[in-house]
Amino acid sequence: MRSPQPLRNGGDNNRSPSAPRFHSTVAEHKLRRFNSLILVFRLTSFSFSLASSVFMLTTSRTSDSPHWYHYDTFRFVVAANVIVAVYSLFEMCASVWEISRGATLFPEVLQVWFDFGHDQVFAYLLLSASAAGTSMARTLKDMDTCTVSNSFCVQSDIAIALGYAAFLFLGFTSLLSGFRLVCFIINGSRFHL
């Protein structure tokens, strides 16, 4: 039979381990600001990766100029940026859901691992695509391609630079989702309160 007295150090033996924790108003505001910061980084990453895709897709102005799909590397740049744009759009919707409802889209343990894992994978995907695109752009500048069609090279350079910017903001998001994961592992909550 359990004692009706509370446990030592202020513990309560009637509280179940799955009972929700008390969150103060200040903690709720901190969590909302943190989630809003993640949303801003995801929105920025989405914008840069979408703009990079659009710039690369519209590089060819005339039929005699080179096309992005003639180069495997540029196809990789387009594919990586489109994948990251779709992922960022999904994660923005999940962030809006979390901010408005106060709960994650998936179960909390799955959500923190999903966010961190995918942020890492897609950040490295963008970095490798942008690095490969940079190498191809330098190769094209050494050849006569850029002298014949300068607009193609300028637009591909802009697309690659936008891909690097998308990587930067997805990297910031990855750091924040890593912080959420570590807090969840240590405290059982997504944010250190």
Side-chain angles (χ1 to χ4, degrees):
M1 178 168 188
R2 288 190 173 181
S3 170
Q5 298 173 351
L7 300 174
R8 292 185 185 186
N9 296 328
D12 185 6
N13 64 353
N14 294 330
R15 184 175 170 196
S16 68
S18 63
R21 296 181 180 195
F22 172 74
H23 293 285
S24 69
T25 308
V26 173
E28 290 293 328
H29 287 297
K30 282 182 180 180
L31 183 60
R32 188 176 300 265
R33 271 187 281 150
F34 187 78
N35 289 337
S36 298
L37 181 63
I38 289 176
L39 177 63
V40 167
F41 283 151
R42 291 197 188 284
L43 176 66
T44 308
S45 177
F46 168 76
S47 301
F48 280 126
S49 60
L50 182 66
S52 176
S53 301
V54 168
F55 265 91
M56 189 60 81
L57 289 172
T58 60
T59 54
S60 303
R61 304 254 183 219
T62 61
S63 61
D64 60 340
S65 68
H67 297 282
W68 64 273
Y69 51 82
H70 291 151
Y71 304 99
D72 290 336
T73 308
F74 289 157
R75 284 189 285 205
F76 179 45
V77 169
V78 169
N81 280 294
V82 167
I83 289 169
V84 169
V86 170
Y87 167 72
S88 295
L89 183 64
F90 170 76
E91 282 291 336
M92 283 189 314
C93 294
S95 291
V96 168
W97 176 276
E98 186 175 347
I99 290 169
S100 65
R101 303 279 172 113
T104 56
L105 190 61
F106 301 128
E108 191 171 9
V109 66
L110 181 64
Q111 186 74 48
V112 294
W113 282 104
F114 179 86
D115 292 347
F116 178 71
H118 285 86
D119 287 346
Q120 289 284 311
V121 168
F122 291 133
Y124 289 127
L125 177 72
L126 267 182
L127 181 62
S128 64
S130 298
T134 302
S135 174
M136 178 55 85
R138 294 189 88 189
T139 302
L140 291 176
K141 286 180 183 172
D142 292 340
M143 299 168 44
D144 291 335
T145 306
C146 287
T147 57
V148 173
S149 178
N150 191 33
S151 66
F152 174 78
C153 292
V154 169
Q155 268 192 278
S156 62
D157 287 344
I158 291 171
I160 293 166
L162 289 170
Y164 277 119
F167 158 73
L168 181 69
F169 284 99
L170 194 57
F172 289 148
T173 305
S174 179
L175 288 173
L176 295 177
S177 63
F179 175 75
R180 284 172 55 165
L181 177 65
V182 169
C183 288
F184 183 79
I185 290 171
I186 292 173
N187 300 326
S189 175
R190 288 170 283 140
F191 191 67
H192 176 68
L193 299 173

